[in-house]
Amino acid sequence: MNIGDKIIDGKAIADAMKKEIAAEVAGMLDKGMDAPHLAAVIVGEDGASKTYVASKEKACQSVGMTSSVYRLPEKTTEEELLNLINFLNNDEEIDGYIIQLPLPKHINETKVIHSINPKKDVDGFTPHNIGLMQLGEPSFLPATPAGIMELLKRSGIETAGKRVVVLGRSNIVGTPISVMLSRKGADATVTICHSKTENLPEITRQADILVVAIGKPKFLKADMVKPGAVVIDVGIHRIEDKTTEKGYRIEGDVDFDEVIKVASKITPVPGGVGPMTIVELLYNTLQAKKRR
Ligand code: NAP
């Protein structure tokens, strides 16, 4: 197989979804409705968070949605943030909002997430939406795992009856993707691995589909992959690299150059899961508007 044919082009799939969302937004405007409105809250000066929020704003604009950003200083108190959340929960003009994580250490993240109105929780992080997802009922699905499901579907990758191994059990990626893949409809047989898993390579080598979300650059090597497996790389790492114009390059959790030789399909980093995450957030915002 040609190397290029192995690549799952997340950017192209995300662009196609953006066009679909833009058409729906245009349809709403034609009917005299307001555009869906996504708000983002960012507390402090975390560089990566600022980049993520800027790209979410840009994505909103590209599909005709309204976006607003609440930038709060690092020293913002928990009470001040909860007051803002209370405002966002009740503001008629805002359809959905996200609180960009991580928050500064003096703010209790759990308390903050629990305060988000589930009807506006377009990140799908509240216990209410996580519970609905677990039950297989309509909910806001967390964007990254929802994006992976859509990538698999639109790339024609069958999941029913397949052996899936998920590396990582975070609340935003590993755990929800294992729930989504094992539900009726997706019908995969899922194993979830974490830092206490023993004989990891032995388990990963059994996978027809590997989802890697462990937060360690180039962790998954070719000898951990069954020939012909599909590999989904969720990791994002900024690696200093003076040979590039920006002074850094982006790498995933998978040793791409080696693993592509054995995998049948693989997502690149950048241009794989990342663009899908943002587009799923737009999709959830559109749903939030429709439900209201
Ligand atoms: P996380 O919260 O850091 O969780 C990492 C998980 O990997 C944990 O469950 C941990 O196990 C497990 N782990 C760590 N070392 C391991 C090892 N040696 N063997 C097996 N399991 C191990 O990570 P996350 O938030 O899910 O993010 C994972 C990566 O995806 C990061 O690079 C992040 O930047 C990226 N990400 C990308 C997107 C996107 O849009 N593409 C979105 C979110 C995250 P324990 O539970 O036992 O500690």
Side-chain angles (χ1 to χ4, degrees):
M1 190 193 263
N2 190 321
I3 289 273
D5 293 340
K6 292 187 174 191
I7 290 176
I8 300 173
D9 188 345
K11 171 138 192 342
I13 296 172
D15 284 346
M17 282 185 73
K18 267 194 199 164
K19 282 204 180 111
E20 294 163 18
I21 292 170
E24 280 211 51
V25 173
M28 284 178 165
L29 295 175
D30 282 348
K31 285 188 198 135
M33 293 166 71
D34 292 332
H37 184 163
L38 173 70
V41 179
I42 178 166
V43 187
E45 296 298 322
D46 184 80
S49 293
K50 280 185 178 169
T51 310
Y52 290 141
V53 168
S55 54
K56 285 165 189 173
E57 259 190 298
K58 212 170 121 200
C60 271
Q61 284 150 14
S62 75
V63 297
M65 288 187 184
T66 306
S67 71
S68 46
V69 181
Y70 294 81
R71 292 184 177 83
L72 306 182
E74 179 84 23
K75 61 178 190 343
T76 302
T77 64
E78 188 176 287
E79 196 189 352
E80 283 166 338
L81 179 58
L82 292 173
N83 284 341
L84 173 62
I85 290 177
N86 186 39
F87 163 77
L88 296 170
N89 283 344
N90 295 299
D91 185 76
E92 278 302 315
E93 284 178 14
I94 290 169
D95 297 296
Y97 69 93
I98 58 160
I99 308 288
Q100 186 65 44
L101 302 179
L103 291 169
K105 293 217 166 17
H106 64 275
I107 298 179
N108 182 333
E109 227 164 72
T110 306
K111 196 168 171 189
V112 166
I113 291 171
H114 286 214
S115 307
I116 298 171
N117 176 352
K119 293 193 171 116
K120 294 191 175 188
D121 169 31
V122 286
D123 256 340
F125 286 172
T126 57
H128 183 85
N129 279 313
I130 291 171
L132 290 174
M133 173 188 72
Q134 192 87 29
L135 294 168
E137 291 181 28
S139 63
F140 292 119
L141 296 174
T144 303
I148 295 171
M149 295 301 287
E150 203 61 34
L151 266 187
L152 293 170
K153 197 164 109 193
R154 292 188 186 226
S155 307
I157 294 163
E158 182 60 77
T159 54
K162 300 294 178 203
R163 180 90 196 251
V164 176
V165 173
V166 177
L167 262 65
R169 57 175 166 186
S170 72
N171 287 340
I172 60 165
V173 189
T175 296
I177 191 66
S178 32
V179 172
M180 289 180 203
L181 281 163
S182 52
R183 268 191 330 209
K184 266 207 168 75
D187 296 316
T189 305
V190 181
T191 303
I192 182 161
C193 300
H194 44 76
S195 64
K196 305 288 185 300
T197 299
E198 291 181 0
N199 303 326
L200 187 70
E202 206 174 282
I203 299 170
T204 56
R205 276 195 295 269
Q206 292 171 31
D208 302 308
I209 301 171
L210 265 164
V211 180
V212 192
I214 77 164
K216 293 200 157 73
K218 289 190 172 180
F219 179 87
L220 189 89
K221 304 291 179 195
D223 62 1
M224 299 168 79
V225 180
K226 178 168 83 173
V230 173
V231 178
I232 306 294
D233 186 354
V234 186
I236 302 180
H237 307 278
R238 201 184 263 212
I239 310 284
E240 195 179 313
D241 184 346
K242 297 222 163 57
T243 65
T244 65
E245 203 179 299
K246 289 180 176 166
Y248 67 87
R249 61 176 195 278
I250 303 290
E251 259 173 24
D253 285 348
V254 173
D255 188 344
F256 181 86
D257 293 339
E258 292 305 314
V259 171
I260 195 169
K261 294 176 188 160
V262 285
S264 63
K265 293 261 176 204
I266 185 167
T267 58
V269 178
V273 175
M276 294 301 290
T277 298
I278 292 190
V279 95
E280 288 294 336
L281 184 65
L282 300 178
Y283 176 82
N284 278 350
T285 306
L286 182 65
Q287 301 312 311
K289 174 82 183 171
K290 285 186 187 171
R291 287 178 201 166
R292 272 154 50 84

